[in-house]
Amino acid sequence: MSHVFPRHTKASLPAAVSGDGCYIIDKSGKKYFDGSGGAAVSCLGHSDPDVIRAIKDQVDRVAFAHTGFFTSDPAEELADLLIGQAPGALDRVYFVSGGSEAMEAALKLARQYFLEKGEVSRHRVIARRQSYHGNTLGALAAGGNQWRREPFSPLMIETSHIAPCYEYRGRRADESAFDYGQRVANELETEIERLGAENVMAFIAEPVVGATSGAVPPVEGYFKRIRQICDRYGVLLILDEVMCGMGRTGTLFACDQDGVAPDILCIAKGLGAGYQPIGAMLCTSGIYQAIESGSGFFQHGHTYIGHPTACAAALAVFKKLTGGVVDRVAPMGAALQAALTDAFGQHAHVGDIRGRGLFRGIEIVEDRESRAPFDPARGIGKALKKAAFEAGLICYPMSGTIDGVHGDHVLLAPPFILEDAHIGEITDKLDVAFRKVL
């Protein structure tokens, strides 16, 4: 009998015993192609010798040193490299242990920034419906997925949610993609004015929405309008690139493709590629200076922030990503999109195939013409995950795509090291799952 508290108490899971490139192997010897990188984490696969060596070398030197007493060479070098590539005025890096921690740090920093400036009434957060920003209470409150929020809503900070930029579901037949993006972006201005700009602290968004909606990219001009609105009202723009960043969409930082830079940016997942738990919050020099010239103390922290071994692993990952691996993402992503379109573009129950780079979503519908979703009671997402896993494919299906209850999608986020043959394996095994479930 296991004493592990699992995610699902009714599930009986195989034990992973080894990794080989894009594959995970269980105790029985069965190989699974990791078509979702776990949760868009394992961008370098599961057996990268350089990252493994970096971890071992760091442990031989010093595994852990608390940041209340020390900095470390891996943390310093990694921060320098990140800022060297970061967009806009991002200038400082605060290392944490994962994405939810990064978002919590961003929320606290945003609030303290305004306190240090004397704008004490600014505390309200605006985000988007069907977003996901993490599972700690602050991050969960920022997220807009009702199914995740509902059980814990009495414990969470008050957050406003505006419409997402979700072209497949939201764009009217009589408007261009650009006009649609401007319309939904302008909801931010309306909400800021409703709340009173003097009360609004930050707007939070994923450049490409991940888990809750399935790799939904923005339309052209959307984020530029968002940036204009934030600047007009003095609201901080916090971009959540925990899932879509670190090369996943084809550029190191996802927001680069939309021509905008945030005030605060959060990364994780691909930063450590799964070899160590690590995330980071990046902020502008202006935000940092407000703290430095004020109290001088960011009133936040966790035991394992700036962990030397985690930073050493991420440093090795970052050097591989910027050493040519990210350059593969856009062309391989285009090849994956073409293969998915060829295999499922006319499927009776596939409504949309979308995404950027190696971050792709397939939206499942009951009827292609009306775009009507399946009855949630069918449990399509859960059934697809099980069927694909049985076929030897790890993918990331979810239900509640449209509003937290209705709709289903499959999210794909394979390792950046995949080859052409792996693309065929993904479509073949997805086809097996689709035939069984749909």
Side-chain angles (χ1 to χ4, degrees):
M1 184 183 73
S2 174
H3 291 282
V4 172
F5 197 141
R7 286 174 177 250
H8 300 285
T9 60
K10 308 299 184 185
S12 178
L13 304 179
V17 297
S18 62
D20 180 16
C22 296
Y23 296 87
I24 292 181
I25 303 162
D26 72 15
K27 193 173 286 188
S28 73
K30 182 176 178 178
K31 295 179 69 173
Y32 304 82
F33 182 83
D34 194 357
S36 62
V41 174
S42 300
C43 55
L44 296 181
H46 298 280
S47 55
D48 189 282
D50 299 320
V51 182
I52 293 168
R53 187 180 308 110
I55 295 168
K56 290 180 177 178
D57 288 348
Q58 183 60 41
V59 170
D60 284 341
R61 290 190 290 270
V62 57
F64 169 67
H66 195 283
T67 54
F69 303 94
F70 298 98
T71 185
S72 70
D73 288 342
E76 295 290 343
E77 185 178 355
L78 179 57
D80 288 346
L81 292 177
L82 281 166
I83 294 305
Q85 301 267 0
L90 294 173
D91 188 63
R92 293 283 175 158
V93 182
Y94 188 90
F95 291 113
V96 293
S97 298
S100 294
E101 275 190 34
M103 288 304 305
E104 291 286 331
L107 289 165
K108 283 189 174 180
L109 181 61
R111 173 59 178 163
Q112 188 172 338
Y113 167 71
F114 285 116
L115 287 177
E116 301 275 6
K117 291 182 64 182
E119 298 181 48
V120 297
S121 67
R122 286 194 186 259
H123 69 286
R124 289 297 300 265
V125 174
I126 303 172
R128 302 187 296 182
R129 295 189 291 276
Q130 279 306 93
S131 58
Y132 178 69
H133 299 296
N135 251 337
T136 50
L137 286 174
L140 190 62
N145 183 269
Q146 291 304 313
W147 175 79
R148 287 176 169 86
R149 289 168 50 89
E150 188 173 5
F152 310 104
S153 57
L155 307 177
M156 296 189 299
I157 61 173
E158 189 175 12
T159 308
S160 299
H161 292 95
I162 63 173
C165 188
Y166 185 2
E167 185 181 8
Y168 176 69
R169 291 286 174 185
R171 177 182 165 190
R172 298 193 303 252
D174 64 346
E175 64 185 346
S176 68
F178 179 84
D179 288 342
Y180 162 67
Q182 299 301 291
R183 173 168 64 83
V184 291
N186 284 334
E187 288 192 21
L188 174 59
E189 185 168 41
T190 301
E191 184 62 11
I192 290 172
E193 291 179 344
R194 186 185 76 83
L195 295 171
E198 71 279 4
N199 298 316
V200 180
M201 179 175 82
F203 174 68
I204 301 175
E206 302 162 87
V208 180
V209 182
T212 51
S213 295
V216 178
V219 297
E220 183 181 356
Y222 170 81
F223 271 109
K224 287 184 177 179
R225 178 62 183 142
I226 291 290
R227 178 75 268 184
Q228 290 172 353
I229 294 168
C230 288
D231 289 343
R232 178 178 179 182
Y233 293 96
V235 172
L236 296 180
L237 175 58
I238 301 175
L239 292 184
D240 175 356
E241 296 200 3
V242 168
M243 185 172 264
C244 65
M246 290 294 97
R248 174 57 62 186
T249 62
T251 50
L252 191 64
F253 293 95
C255 62
D256 283 340
Q257 296 177 52
D258 296 291
V260 297
D263 301 294
I264 300 175
L265 184 142
C266 296
I267 53 176
K269 296 188 185 293
L271 177 62
Y275 289 89
Q276 287 282 284
I278 189 168
M281 175 197 69
L282 287 66
C283 73
T284 63
S285 55
I287 293 174
Y288 182 81
Q289 287 299 323
I291 307 297
E292 185 180 44
S293 62
S295 67
F297 174 65
F298 179 29
Q299 196 172 331
H300 181 62
H302 294 277
T303 299
Y304 292 118
I305 63 175
H307 194 286
T309 306
C311 288
L315 179 59
V317 170
F318 190 86
K319 288 179 178 178
K320 299 207 80 164
L321 293 178
T322 55
V325 173
V326 171
D327 295 339
R328 304 182 79 251
V329 173
M332 293 304 292
L336 177 59
Q337 176 74 16
L340 292 170
T341 302
D342 184 59
F344 308 117
Q346 299 303 313
H347 193 289
H349 298 298
V350 171
D352 192 29
I353 304 172
R354 56 186 176 240
R356 287 180 180 173
L358 287 171
F359 201 41
R360 299 286 161 176
I362 304 170
E363 184 158 344
I364 308 300
V365 294
E366 185 170 29
D367 181 76
R368 278 174 57 89
E369 294 303 315
S370 67
R371 303 183 181 182
F374 279 98
D375 184 338
R378 288 281 303 273
I380 294 295
K382 183 179 178 180
L384 284 173
K385 180 180 179 181
K386 180 180 179 182
F389 195 68
E390 289 173 352
L393 174 67
I394 300 169
C395 58
Y396 202 142
M398 286 289 294
S399 296
T401 308
I402 301 169
D403 56 11
V405 177
H406 302 90
D408 303 276
H409 68 265
V410 176
L411 182 66
L412 296 170
F416 302 168
I417 61 170
L418 88 166
E419 303 291 343
D420 290 337
H422 294 134
I423 292 176
E425 183 174 355
I426 291 170
T427 55
D428 288 348
K429 290 179 176 178
L430 269 180
D431 186 58
V432 171
F434 285 178
R435 289 177 184 275
K436 184 172 185 178
V437 175
L438 303 178

